[in-house]
């Protein structure tokens, strides 16, 4: 598969470079490599209720940021209805495509044995050029 890195500006937008997946189907862990030596870990737990949260680590500290579920789904439904009424998306297309590329690469069987470069993922091939 030919590299589409120069055309895949959605991935460049997020700075995501490659993805690998470990763990079983009920508890997969996705590791994402970003530019500038940054790394993100997404830890899914499909078997049990676990509160949504983010742990943000910098050179000086780690912060635990809980995600409030009180309004999460109401806000999401409201944003969807707002989009349907206005026709104007509330999320930048490049961000949506970057998330989709990360999820597709994580589901790629090759991600179970090493990192899959996002510029060579199936999502990048299907999406083609993205204009700025």
């Amino acid at each position: 598969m030919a590299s589409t890195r120069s055309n895949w500006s959605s991935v460049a937008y997020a700075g995501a470079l490659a993805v690998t997946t470990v763990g079983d189907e009920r508890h997969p862990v996705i590791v994402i490599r970003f530019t500038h030596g940054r790394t993100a870990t997404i830890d899914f737990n499909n078997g049990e209720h676990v509160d949504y949260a983010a742990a943000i680590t910098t050179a000086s500290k780690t912060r635990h940021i809980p995600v409030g579920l009180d309004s999460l789904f109401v806000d999401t439904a409201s944003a969807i209805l707002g989009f349907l009424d206005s026709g104007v998306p509330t999320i930048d297309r490049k961000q949506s495509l970057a998330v989709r590329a990360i999820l597709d690469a994580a589901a790629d069987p090759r991600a179970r044995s090493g990192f899959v470069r996002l510029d060579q993922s199936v999502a990048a091939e299907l999406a083609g050029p993205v204009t700025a």
Side-chain angles (χ1 to χ4, degrees):
M1 184 178 305
S3 173
T4 58
R5 184 68 172 155
S6 61
N7 294 328
W8 191 234
S9 60
S10 296
V11 173
Y13 178 87
L17 302 172
V19 176
T20 190
T21 305
V22 297
D24 62 26
E25 293 298 319
R26 287 179 50 95
H27 194 168
V29 177
I30 299 169
V31 179
I32 308 163
R33 283 187 185 155
F34 288 88
T35 55
H36 308 295
R38 298 172 298 146
T39 303
T41 303
I42 302 172
D43 187 351
F44 290 106
N45 189 334
N46 296 328
E48 310 215 6
H49 172 75
V50 178
D51 291 335
Y52 295 105
I56 309 296
T57 302
T58 64
S60 60
K61 64 182 176 178
T62 297
R63 291 180 44 215
H64 181 262
I65 303 170
V67 175
L69 295 179
D70 295 343
S71 64
L72 179 67
F73 295 104
V74 171
D75 291 346
T76 301
S78 176
I80 291 169
L81 292 173
F83 166 70
L84 294 174
D85 286 344
S86 71
V88 177
T90 56
I91 307 240
D92 184 276
R93 180 174 186 263
K94 290 180 184 178
Q95 286 179 320
S96 297
L97 290 173
V99 169
R100 183 72 259 163
I102 289 167
L103 294 173
D104 288 348
D108 187 321
R110 296 175 297 165
R112 292 288 180 167
S113 60
F115 277 89
V116 173
R117 286 181 35 185
L118 290 172
D119 63 338
Q120 294 179 348
S121 70
V122 173
E125 291 294 327
L126 292 176
V130 178
T131 57

